[in-house]
Amino acid sequence: MDIYSYSFLILLLPALSFVILGLAGMKMSHKTAGLIGTTSLGLVTILSYVTAFCYFAADRTADGTFQTFVPYNFTWLPLGNLHFDMGILLDPISVMMLIVISTVSFMVHIYSFGYMHGEKGFQRYYAFLSLFTMSMLGLVVATNIFQMYMFWELVGVSSYLLIGFYYPLHEAVAASKKAFIVTRFADMFFLIGILIFGYYTQSFSFSFSGDIVMGNGTTPFIPCDAVKAMTAAGFLLPTALVLMFIGGAGKSAMFPLHIWLPDAMEGPTPVSALIHAATMVVAGVFQVARMFPLWIEYAPQAMSIIVWVGVFTAFYAAAVACAQSDIKRVLAFSTISQIAFMMVALGVCLPGHHGTVLDDHAQLGYMASMFHLFTHAMFKACLFLCAGCIIHAVHSNEMALMGGLRKYMPITHITFLISCLAIAGIPFFSGFSSKDEIITACMQYSPVVGWIMTGVAAMTAFYMFRLYYGIFWGTENMDAHKHHTPHEAPLSMTIPLIVLCIITVGVGVYTTIAGFAGMGGSFGSYVSASGKEYTIHFDTQVALISTIIAILSICLATYIYKGERQPIADKLYATFPRLHRAAYKRFYQDEIWQYVTHKIIFRCISIPIAWFDRHVIDGTFNFMAWGTNEAGESIRPWQSGDIRQYAIWFLTGTVALTLILLCI
């Protein structure tokens, strides 16, 4: 266990960076503040990679699983038979998430040196980045559900601060409030689910697979009461898990709680790469994966909710992305669709035929979901950072002001193209290996689900290459370029793009070869549902069909959008103006939510409650105060201070009492 004694530094370093930059950042130069934030994340990245190497290189247990290590765990708040713990848990998915978060965050810190150069609030920006990274790292290494919830809320606060970074702009303030309110609404269900789970199991601990190795002096976990858990399994535990999933759906922008994510693009573009591509939005997927043993054991039938919410969200977001003109919003809806892929992959996992034994079917979906989380984080972060370079060059998010940028921005062009090929699912790029396994798992679960997700994958290839051609090909906007000639971004911005592309291609080449050859050592060898080694074997038929469909979709996008003019696209817009308008307006989801909140909730619920509060509750207490005051005013003359008046009242009362007694 001493080998992981340094693990507390993974949380401490970004926390110290946040405190230093938050308290003293304004007294530093931009360069100093950026170096402090970037250096701390660089050290965290090194520690994360060391942890991953030590963990996955260690010997497995006798049953072939990786051990779960808890180097630190202490009681934070005792509460009767329960206690709230804080600690660090290392298992395959938490170690994998350490790699994802630290890598992307480190690249964003380096990238921000160039992108945020000269911005007012530069020091504050790096302080918020450190806070967010610490919060997300704390979430993934949480030893119990309540610690996860605490850092879950810190992630929400951090995203609020980063989305609203440009606070003088009304749009940024509105977007940050929208993200905060929507996710807090979903988190209310998460908290209710946690309380139900804790009450009926007498524990907040996760259900672990494999042996748990506790560090010296750590507080032991309170094991779940198996008898109470089985008693509650019929209805209460599935209810608790579904409620917690609603919290995850809000954080991961699943329909209909997705409305905050597109508006969150008002924040700086590097923030979009960090929060909305690789870390915050996958928190919901990680939550379901972390509690996957509970779903499998106590609520396998309820997993169909995850499947169909994910299927609809994936299709809806892909349809909206096909009509967007703002490049960051295309990527935002692409993120929603890809996160839905991960959710569906988790939902299609079902236990084997012998109780809760995990067969290859369950193994495949879980592994594919985590694999896609890993690959998507890299190429989608690259896409967002490329978008930042493009916006930096043309000073606009709109595709109408772009076109022909490939000759001005060769590095951005190549890295963007590689990432588009990856997300489209072309072989030898990382997205192919992970997305193909998701579709295979969906086909095994239900051919209907499998073909729907195949169609969504085709839409993904289409709208991503629509975006690619709209930016780098098409008609160059000479009027806009006269005032500001586009140029390649500085090295501080292009180096992160190259690094992320190397990861995307390297992982893609190895896993594609390994998947077709049946070789071990790919992602499934490290992360699987049971903890045992899972060798990826591609389904040749599914892989061939998905690849052909992806290539055809790319060819269709090329035929429509590559040329300097797009007559086919213009004709489609003219033929289906209402459909295009509806997709562009996100099928009026914002307007529906505005109507529901303002016309129904506010008018029918909030206003009557406010009237009852003002007129009944306040009126009652105001009446009591008025009555007391009037009584005081009425008896005030009795306290005149005149001895003669007191004597008269005394004698009068004595005579009255005497007469009453005589009469009785």
Side-chain angles (χ1 to χ4, degrees), residues 108-174:
V108 167
H109 275 72
I110 296 173
Y111 181 92
S112 297
F113 259 103
Y115 189 86
M116 300 298 290
H117 178 71
E119 288 278 5
K120 183 179 179 181
F122 185 91
Q123 302 92 328
R124 173 169 54 91
Y125 170 81
Y126 269 89
F128 292 164
L129 282 185
S130 296
L131 175 63
F132 175 84
T133 306
M134 183 274 295
S135 304
M136 195 66 203
L137 290 169
L139 189 156
V140 299
V141 299
T143 60
N144 58 86
I145 301 175
F146 217 94
Q147 180 185 346
M148 174 187 277
Y149 181 74
M150 289 180 58
F151 282 97
W152 185 280
E153 294 304 309
L154 272 177
V155 168
V157 172
S158 306
S159 66
Y160 169 79
L161 296 171
L162 286 167
I163 295 168
F165 176 77
Y166 297 121
Y167 61 86
L169 300 178
H170 172 74
E171 294 81 2
V173 174

Side-chain angles (χ1 to χ4, degrees), residues 55 279 400 559:
Y55 183 84
T279 52
Y559 177 67

Side-chain angles (χ1 to χ4, degrees), residues 15-199:
L16 287 176
S17 175
F18 166 68
V19 172
I20 293 170
L21 295 177
L23 296 178
M26 295 306 294
K27 297 181 181 179
M28 303 176 184
S29 65
H30 287 193
K31 185 176 181 180
T32 302
L35 284 174
I36 291 174
T38 306
T39 302
S40 69
L41 257 296
L43 293 173
V44 169
T45 304
I46 293 172
L47 292 175
S48 298
Y49 275 83
V50 169
T51 301
F53 178 80
C54 293
Y55 183 84
F56 290 120
D59 293 334
R60 297 173 183 256
T61 60
D63 62 354
T65 62
F66 285 107
Q67 288 181 318
T68 298
F69 293 95
V70 181
Y72 298 99
N73 193 63
F74 63 92
T75 298
W76 175 63
L77 183 64
L79 185 65
N81 295 329
L82 291 172
H83 54 71
F84 298 151
D85 294 346
M86 300 287 286
I88 295 175
L89 182 148
L90 300 176
D91 71 344
I93 61 171
S94 64
V95 173
M96 181 271 292
M97 287 300 296
L98 288 180
I99 295 297
V100 170
I101 296 167
S102 61
T103 301
V104 175
S105 183
F106 186 45
M107 293 299 105
V108 167
H109 275 72
I110 296 173
Y111 181 92
S112 297
F113 259 103
Y115 189 86
M116 300 298 290
H117 178 71
E119 288 278 5
K120 183 179 179 181
F122 185 91
Q123 302 92 328
R124 173 169 54 91
Y125 170 81
Y126 269 89
F128 292 164
L129 282 185
S130 296
L131 175 63
F132 175 84
T133 306
M134 183 274 295
S135 304
M136 195 66 203
L137 290 169
L139 189 156
V140 299
V141 299
T143 60
N144 58 86
I145 301 175
F146 217 94
Q147 180 185 346
M148 174 187 277
Y149 181 74
M150 289 180 58
F151 282 97
W152 185 280
E153 294 304 309
L154 272 177
V155 168
V157 172
S158 306
S159 66
Y160 169 79
L161 296 171
L162 286 167
I163 295 168
F165 176 77
Y166 297 121
Y167 61 86
L169 300 178
H170 172 74
E171 294 81 2
V173 174
S176 63
K177 289 194 297 182
K178 187 175 184 179
F180 192 80
I181 292 169
V182 172
T183 53
R184 292 298 73 70
F185 172 75
D187 293 349
M188 174 185 67
F189 295 96
F190 189 9
L191 179 59
I192 294 171
I194 292 173
L195 296 176
I196 294 173
F197 178 83
Y199 179 80

Side-chain angles (χ1 to χ4, degrees), residues 377-387 415-416 419 496-497 500-501:
M378 302 304 167
F379 58 69
K380 183 55 68 67
C382 184
L383 286 167
F384 268 111
L385 295 183
C386 286
T415 53
F416 195 94
S419 299
L497 306 182
L500 292 170
C501 269

Side-chain angles (χ1 to χ4, degrees), residues 240-549:
L241 290 171
V242 170
L243 289 172
M244 286 190 270
F245 167 69
I246 294 174
K251 196 73 80 182
S252 291
M254 295 292 99
F255 186 92
L257 300 172
H258 67 285
I259 56 173
W260 65 271
L261 185 61
D263 292 349
M265 298 300 108
E266 295 295 337
T269 302
V271 169
S272 301
L274 180 63
I275 294 181
H276 310 124
T279 52
M280 175 179 168
V281 290
V282 300
V285 178
F286 178 82
Q287 179 224 71
V288 175
R290 168 59 76 208
M291 291 184 281
F292 184 75
L294 298 173
W295 282 95
I296 285 290
E297 187 169 359
Y298 297 116
Q301 301 306 316
M303 294 176 74
S304 60
I305 297 174
I306 300 175
V307 174
W308 291 108
V309 169
V311 167
F312 184 82
T313 301
F315 175 77
Y316 163 82
V320 174
C322 290
Q324 299 301 301
S325 59
D326 183 317
I327 62 173
K328 287 179 67 176
R329 281 178 168 75
V330 174
L331 296 178
F333 279 101
S334 172
T335 298
I336 295 172
S337 184
Q338 297 305 302
I339 297 297
F341 264 89
M342 303 172 205
M343 284 289 193
V344 171
L346 288 172
V348 299
C349 297
L350 291 176
H353 301 293
H354 304 288
T356 59
V357 177
L358 297 173
D359 59 10
D360 286 346
H361 183 188
Q363 292 272 55
L364 176 60
Y366 182 94
M367 182 280 301
S369 176
M370 295 296 97
F371 190 18
H372 198 55
L373 188 157
F374 177 86
T375 60
H376 175 264
M378 302 304 167
F379 58 69
K380 183 55 68 67
C382 184
L383 286 167
F384 268 111
L385 295 183
C386 286
C389 293
I390 295 161
I391 295 168
H392 187 266
V394 301
H395 302 293
S396 175
N397 294 18
E398 291 294 325
M399 280 192 284
L401 297 178
M402 300 173 191
L405 293 183
R406 67 189 184 282
K407 58 185 177 183
Y408 299 106
M409 309 175 71
I411 297 176
T412 304
H413 170 228
I414 295 299
T415 53
F416 195 94
L417 175 59
I418 290 172
S419 299
C420 285
L421 291 169
I423 196 173
I426 300 301
F428 301 104
F429 296 92
S430 61
F432 165 77
S433 304
S434 56
K435 190 178 290 186
D436 183 78
E437 293 297 85
I438 291 177
I439 294 174
T440 301
C442 291
M443 287 290 188
Q444 293 179 0
Y445 175 83
S446 166
V448 174
V449 174
W451 282 109
I452 292 174
M453 298 309 291
T454 301
V456 174
M459 295 170 70
T460 302
F462 175 80
Y463 68 68
M464 286 307 304
F465 274 84
R466 168 183 176 267
L467 178 65
Y468 164 73
Y469 287 120
I471 296 171
F472 295 103
W473 295 77
T475 304
E476 182 177 348
N477 193 314
M478 300 304 297
D479 293 335
H481 295 175
K482 284 179 182 178
H483 303 289
H484 184 82
T485 303
H487 56 85
E488 187 59 272
L491 282 176
S492 61
M493 296 170 66
T494 54
I495 288 176
L497 306 182
I498 296 171
V499 171
L500 292 170
C501 269
I502 290 172
I503 296 173
T504 297
V505 175
V507 171
V509 170
Y510 180 80
T511 55
T512 301
I513 295 173
F516 283 115
M519 297 163 50
S522 58
F523 190 85
S525 300
Y526 305 105
V527 178
S528 64
S530 66
K532 299 179 181 180
E533 184 171 359
Y534 179 83
T535 302
I536 296 176
H537 293 278
F538 289 144
D539 184 317
T540 306
Q541 183 178 357
V542 173
L544 184 62
I545 292 173
S546 62
T547 301
I548 292 173
I549 290 176

